[in-house]
Amino acid sequence: MNQELNDAQRQVVLAEKGPILVVAGAGTGKTNTLVHKLAHLVKNGTNPESILLLTFTRRAAKEMLGRASGILDNRMMSVRGGTFHSFCHHFLRKFASVISLDSNFTILDEEDTIGFVGMAREQVVTTGTKVRFPKKETLAEIFSACFNLQISLEKYLQKEYPMFLGITKEIQEIKTKFADLKAKHNSLDFDDLLEFTRKILVSDERIRQKMSTTYDYILVDEYQDTNKIQAHIACLLASIHQNILVVGDDAQCIYGFRGASVHNMLDFPKIFPNTQIIQLTKNYRSVQPVLNLANAVLEKSSENYKKNLIASTQKHSFPPYLITVESFEEEAEWIAEKLLELYEEGFPFSQMAVLFRSGYSSHLLEVQLNAKKIPYRKFGGKRFLDLAHVKDVIAYLKVVENPRDILSWNRILLLEEQIGKKYSQILYKRLESNQFQWKNDANFFLGLPESTKQSFSKLMECLDTLSPFQQSTNQVLESILTHYIPLLEANYDDSEKRKQDLDSLLLLSKNETKLSDYLSNLILDPLEGKEIGNSDELKDEYLTLSTIHSAKGLEWKVVFTMQVVEGNLPNHRIRTTDELEEERRLFYVAITRAKDLLFLTNPAFNDKNRFTSVSRFLSDLDKESKLYESLEPKNKPKSENNEIDQENNPPSNSFENIQNYFLN
C-alpha cells in the first residue's frame, strides 16, 4: 500500500491518532492520501463503523470509500461517510427532543424555503406598502448568507444590498416571522440542520460524550471550504478524544461569500495545541513553470501556510504567457483564434478551458466561439443569450426590426407596470389591426385603465423615436437601454450586476451598422458541445468556459485566464485585506488548473474604454525571476488594395458556365 505514496503522504497515513492538519497544495494527491488513511485505520483495528468521514458532496464520500475498499475490502463501506448536512439530519432525528424539536420534522428544500419566506413577507408587506421590498428569493438568500457568514442583517445589507438599509427593521421582522413559521410547521431548512446540531453539541455534555464513543475518528475533506458552524461541529465531535484529521489547502479557500473561512485552517492548531501539521507539496498535475508562478503569487500572501509546490516530473515545458491586447473585443478574438491554432496542433477542445472571474466576462468570447464554430459548454453562470435581461433587450430590438413579432411584443409589454397578460393581448391586437400605429386611433385605449394607457404610451414614445435605417445599431440600443434600465432596477434585486451584461451588448453593437446583422450574429448558430455531431467520438469534444470558482478541483492541459487586470482580478469591490487575500487565492486556483500551458490575457482598455493596468498579483512579482513571458499578438496583415486581381481571377458570371459546372 505504502509504495503508492510519497514520503509526506506516507507520513499522514502512518501518523498516530490525535489532531492532524494536512495542508495539501493543489494537485498533490490529497484524495489518494485520505483513501489510504481510511484503509490503514481499518486494517490496523479501528472499527469502520466508528469512523466518520465528512465531505462536501455525497459522491465524494462514496468514491473515497469505494477506492478504499479496492485497497482493503468491503469493510470500508461500513464507514459513515457523507456531507455535513446529511450527518446533521441523522443526528437531529436522534436528539431533536433535547431542544424541544419533534424528531419527525420536515426538511425544506430551496423552493420550500423560498415559499416560507414568501409567506412571512406577505405578513409584513401589505398592499398598502409604498416602499419597495426585496423579493422572496432575495430575502431567502439574505437570511442564509447572514447565518453562514455569521454577521448581522444590517452589516450584510450594508455590503450587498445598501438600497434596502432603510427597511432593515421590516426585513428583520420578516426574518423573525420566517423562523416562527418553520417552528409552527415543524420544518427545518438546510441552515437549521447545522445550527440545531451545533446547539445540542455545545449545550449537552452527555451527548458529546456519546458521540465520542460512537465516532472514534473524524476525518474532514476540503476543510478550507468549511464555514465557522461546520468547523465548530467537526471540532465538537472530536472534543473528547481529539482524534480528528482535516485535509485542505488554505490557498484554495475561495468561497468566502458562502461563509468559508480560511481561519478554520490557519487557527486549527490553536484549537488543538498538540496538532501535527503535515504538508503535501509534490504536485502531480502541472509543469514546474506553472507551479513557479503559483508559488510566487502565494508567497506574497500576508497570511498562509508557506508551501513550495514541486512538479513530480521535469518534462520539457513552456513558461506561462501574459498576452497584452488593446481591448476586451481583441481579447475575445485572440483567444478564439489561439484555440483554433492549438486545436490544429493536436490539442482537443476537451483538454482546454477559458477561466474568468465573473460570468459576464465571457460574453464577447461566446460570440466569437459561435462565429468560429468552436463547441463549448459554460459553467458558473448562464449562457449569455439565456439571461433573462439580455432576452428582454433583444426583444425590444426584434420589435424595432420586425413590428409583427408577436412573441417579442408580448415580452416587452409584460415588462411594463400595469400591463398584465390580458391587456398585453388586447394591446397587441389593436396594434396589429392599426398597422402598428396607435396615435391616430381615438378608440385605441377604449376600456383600458388609465394606468395601463400611461405605461403603454411611455413604451411607444420610446419605440417611435427609433429607426434602424436612420440610426446606428449602437444608437438604437442606447435609447432602448434608457427606457429599460428603470424597469431592470424595478424587476431585479441584483440589477447592478445585470447591467454589466448589458454593457456587453453595447460593446457588440459598435461594429454593426445594420440592426438585422447585429441580431442575426447574436442569435444564429448558438453552438454548444453537446449539440455537435452524433458520434460517441465527438460527444465530449467541447471547450470549457468556466468561472474560476466553478473550476476548482478540475484540470486541463491548456488554460486561458481572461482579464487579469485591476478591477477584475482583484475585483473592484474588495474593501478589506481579507477580501484581497481571497482574490489572490482565486488567482492561485486559476493558475494551478493548467497542466502544460497557461495563457493570461491583459486588455489595455476595459468595456467602458477606460485604461486598465495589469493585476497587482503579477505586477508585484520580482521582474528578474522571469516567471512568465510577455507577448503581444502579431499584427494582422492589412491589404492596401482590396480589389481582386482581375487577371488571375477572371469574372465568370455566364449562366451557361454555371449550368455546365453544376450539371456535368
Side-chain angles (χ1 to χ4, degrees):
M1 173 178 70
N2 291 341
Q3 290 178 350
E4 301 177 37
L5 305 171
N6 63 41
D7 290 344
Q9 292 171 333
R10 193 175 297 112
Q11 186 184 353
V12 174
V13 171
L14 299 178
E16 298 293 327
K17 288 186 175 181
I20 302 170
L21 170 64
V22 181
V23 182
T28 56
K30 60 101 177 165
T31 301
N32 187 44
T33 306
L34 258 182
V35 165
H36 278 82
K37 180 67 176 179
L38 284 163
H40 179 76
L41 284 169
V42 174
K43 184 181 178 182
N44 286 272
T46 303
N47 181 354
E49 293 182 2
S50 72
I51 299 174
L52 176 64
L53 171 65
L54 294 170
T55 61
F56 274 84
T57 65
R58 188 170 58 178
R59 186 182 70 177
K62 188 176 179 181
E63 284 181 3
M64 275 192 255
L65 295 178
R67 285 172 60 179
S69 295
I71 293 171
L72 193 59
D73 52 47
N74 279 339
R75 280 179 292 169
M76 299 308 306
M77 301 314 290
S78 298
V79 170
R80 173 67 195 280
T83 65
F84 277 92
H85 288 97
S86 66
F87 167 78
C88 292
H89 164 237
H90 291 292
F91 176 88
L92 289 173
R93 292 293 182 197
K94 287 183 181 178
F95 302 113
S97 60
V98 173
I99 52 171
S100 304
L101 182 72
D102 287 341
S103 60
N104 65 335
F105 57 82
T106 297
I107 299 177
L108 303 173
D109 62 17
E110 185 178 357
E111 188 177 339
D112 296 332
T113 299
I114 290 170
F116 267 50
V117 172
M119 291 168 64
R121 185 182 187 275
E122 287 172 3
Q123 293 179 26
V124 176
V125 184
T126 62
T127 52
T129 302
K130 294 181 180 180
V131 179
R132 178 189 166 195
F133 274 74
K135 295 181 178 179
K136 59 184 179 181
E137 293 84 359
T138 304
L139 286 167
E141 181 252 304
I142 289 170
F143 299 158
S144 184
C146 288
F147 171 75
N148 286 290
L149 293 167
Q150 293 288 279
I151 62 173
S152 69
L153 175 64
E154 186 174 5
K155 279 189 178 178
Y156 186 75
L157 291 177
Q158 200 166 26
K159 186 180 180 211
E160 298 294 338
Y161 294 98
M163 72 283 274
F164 297 130
L165 267 173
I167 52 169
T168 303
K169 183 180 176 183
E170 290 82 356
I171 294 176
Q172 181 62 55
E173 187 181 353
I174 296 172
K175 190 169 182 280
T176 302
K177 290 184 181 299
F178 169 51
D180 292 344
L181 279 168
K182 288 187 292 182
K184 178 182 177 181
H185 297 282
N186 197 32
S187 299
L188 276 60
D189 62 22
F190 284 9
D191 296 335
D192 294 329
L193 293 174
L194 297 176
E195 177 60 17
F196 292 155
T197 297
R198 179 174 67 166
K199 188 175 181 180
I200 292 170
L201 287 171
V202 167
S203 63
D204 199 311
E205 185 179 356
R206 178 184 58 85
I207 292 176
R208 284 201 308 277
Q209 185 71 48
K210 183 176 177 63
M211 295 311 295
S212 74
T213 55
T214 303
Y215 298 114
D216 182 49
Y217 206 97
I218 315 293
L219 298 98
V220 186
D221 187 25
E222 303 284 10
Y223 194 64
Q224 80 281 344
D225 291 339
T226 56
N227 61 30
K228 289 180 181 178
I229 302 94
Q230 291 164 328
H232 196 177
I233 289 169
C235 293
L236 285 167
L237 290 170
S239 60
I240 303 224
H241 52 59
Q242 297 192 21
N243 294 326
I244 180 170
L245 183 150
V246 299
V247 184
D249 184 3
D250 55 304
Q252 294 188 70
C253 180
I254 59 173
Y255 297 116
F257 60 94
R258 293 182 191 164
S261 174
V262 69
H263 293 286
N264 290 344
M265 283 199 69
L266 298 176
D267 295 342
F268 188 80
K270 295 179 183 177
I271 300 168
F272 298 104
N274 57 331
T275 293
Q276 184 178 358
I277 302 174
I278 304 172
Q279 289 205 3
L280 305 183
T281 57
K282 191 172 184 178
N283 180 282
Y284 295 92
R285 175 188 298 154
S286 305
V287 294
Q288 193 60 49
V290 169
L291 297 180
N292 289 341
L293 179 60
N295 290 334
V297 167
L298 205 57
E299 184 64 29
K300 295 288 183 179
S301 176
S302 60
E303 193 174 33
N304 63 47
Y305 287 108
K306 299 300 179 186
K307 60 181 79 70
N308 190 54
L309 299 179
I310 304 295
S312 59
T313 60
Q314 298 299 320
K315 64 180 180 180
H316 174 71
S317 53
F318 297 94
Y321 295 100
L322 176 67
I323 295 87
T324 300
V325 292
E326 188 72 16
S327 62
F328 283 6
E329 299 100 313
E330 191 177 323
E331 176 188 49
E333 187 177 354
W334 184 87
I335 290 174
E337 289 177 355
K338 190 66 179 177
L339 286 164
L340 283 176
E341 181 185 318
L342 290 167
Y343 179 74
E344 291 301 322
E345 291 175 6
F347 288 94
F349 287 127
S350 58
Q351 285 297 317
M352 296 190 277
V354 183
L355 308 182
F356 30 84
R357 173 65 178 79
S358 305
Y360 63 83
S361 297
S362 71
H363 294 162
L364 298 177
L365 178 61
E366 289 178 55
V367 174
Q368 286 286 337
L369 297 177
N370 288 339
K372 288 179 166 57
K373 306 294 189 290
I374 297 176
Y376 69 89
R377 289 180 187 170
K378 183 175 179 180
F379 300 90
K382 291 184 179 179
R383 270 190 342 123
F384 185 36
L385 296 181
D386 291 338
L387 298 167
H389 47 295
V390 171
K391 286 184 173 182
D392 290 344
V393 174
I394 288 175
Y396 287 103
L397 294 172
K398 286 181 175 180
V399 165
V400 173
E401 173 69 16
N402 172 24
R404 292 184 294 174
D405 186 336
I406 185 172
L407 293 178
S408 295
W409 269 113
N410 187 57
R411 187 177 188 100
I412 67 174
L413 286 168
L414 290 175
L415 286 170
E416 299 293 328
E417 291 182 10
Q418 312 302 327
I419 300 180
K421 289 182 180 179
K422 176 184 173 183
Y423 292 143
S424 170
Q425 292 173 0
I426 292 171
L427 287 165
Y428 178 78
K429 285 178 181 177
R430 292 183 183 178
L431 279 169
E432 189 177 39
S433 61
N434 281 280
Q435 302 298 308
F436 296 92
Q437 300 299 314
W438 62 289
K439 287 186 175 178
N440 299 326
D441 184 354
N443 296 319
F444 191 89
F445 293 111
L446 190 66
L448 298 179
E450 181 63 25
S451 56
T452 300
K453 174 184 174 181
Q454 289 176 0
S455 290
F456 178 78
S457 299
K458 191 175 179 181
L459 167 65
M460 295 306 294
E461 282 164 7
C462 168
L463 295 177
D464 285 348
T465 64
L466 305 179
S467 170
F469 305 108
Q470 297 174 1
Q471 297 168 297
S472 69
T473 301
N474 191 257
Q475 288 172 323
V476 170
L477 189 51
E478 283 185 337
S479 296
I480 285 170
L481 290 177
T482 300
H483 175 81
Y484 177 69
I485 292 297
L487 298 175
L488 178 79
E489 292 170 343
N491 289 324
Y492 298 102
D493 292 331
D494 59 348
S495 59
E496 289 304 313
K497 294 177 184 176
R498 293 176 187 259
K499 286 175 188 176
Q500 293 170 315
D501 301 324
L502 303 182
D503 288 340
S504 296
L505 276 177
L506 269 175
L507 262 180
L508 290 167
S509 71
K510 284 182 179 178
N511 298 322
E512 292 287 359
T513 46
K514 290 180 67 177
L515 179 57
S516 56
D517 289 344
Y518 176 73
L519 284 171
S520 62
N521 287 337
L522 273 179
I523 297 163
L524 288 180
D525 208 18
L527 299 177
E528 287 191 78
K530 60 189 175 186
E531 297 169 348
I532 306 298
N534 296 316
S535 69
D536 289 337
E537 286 181 32
L538 293 175
K539 189 166 61 176
D540 293 325
E541 187 54 30
Y542 60 88
L543 168 75
T544 296
L545 302 185
S546 176
T547 60
I548 302 171
H549 286 99
S550 296
K552 184 172 167 288
L554 304 175
E555 59 186 45
W556 297 270
K557 284 185 177 295
V558 182
V559 169
F560 296 78
T561 301
M562 299 179 69
Q563 296 170 19
V564 186
V565 296
E566 286 292 303
N568 187 59
L569 250 176
N571 188 267
H572 69 280
R573 297 182 70 201
I574 61 167
R575 296 288 182 270
T576 66
T577 302
D578 284 348
E579 289 172 344
L580 176 63
E581 288 307 312
E582 179 153 329
E583 292 289 303
R584 187 189 306 278
R585 295 192 294 269
L586 194 64
F587 186 42
Y588 169 85
V589 168
I591 294 169
T592 53
R593 299 312 94 197
K595 295 163 77 172
D596 296 332
L597 286 172
L598 175 64
F599 297 96
L600 310 170
T601 54
N602 166 35
F605 292 89
N606 66 17
D607 54 348
K608 293 181 171 59
N609 209 32
R610 292 176 185 155
F611 182 73
T612 65
S613 57
V614 71
S615 169
R616 71 187 75 178
F617 301 143
L618 289 179
S619 62
D620 287 350
L621 299 179
D622 178 11
K623 300 295 185 295
E624 302 304 315
S625 57
K626 295 188 177 179
L627 293 163
Y628 58 87
E629 187 172 324
S630 296
L631 290 180
E632 289 193 15
K634 296 173 184 175
N635 291 327
K636 296 178 185 176
K638 293 183 180 179
S639 172
E640 293 183 7
N641 185 0
N642 291 325
E643 294 180 8
I644 298 173
D645 187 332
Q646 296 296 323
E647 187 173 313
N648 294 328
N649 297 281
S652 177
N653 54 8
S654 160
F655 176 73
E656 289 80 7
N657 284 346
I658 295 170
Q659 290 299 89
N660 287 336
Y661 176 82
F662 284 103
L663 296 179
N664 294 320

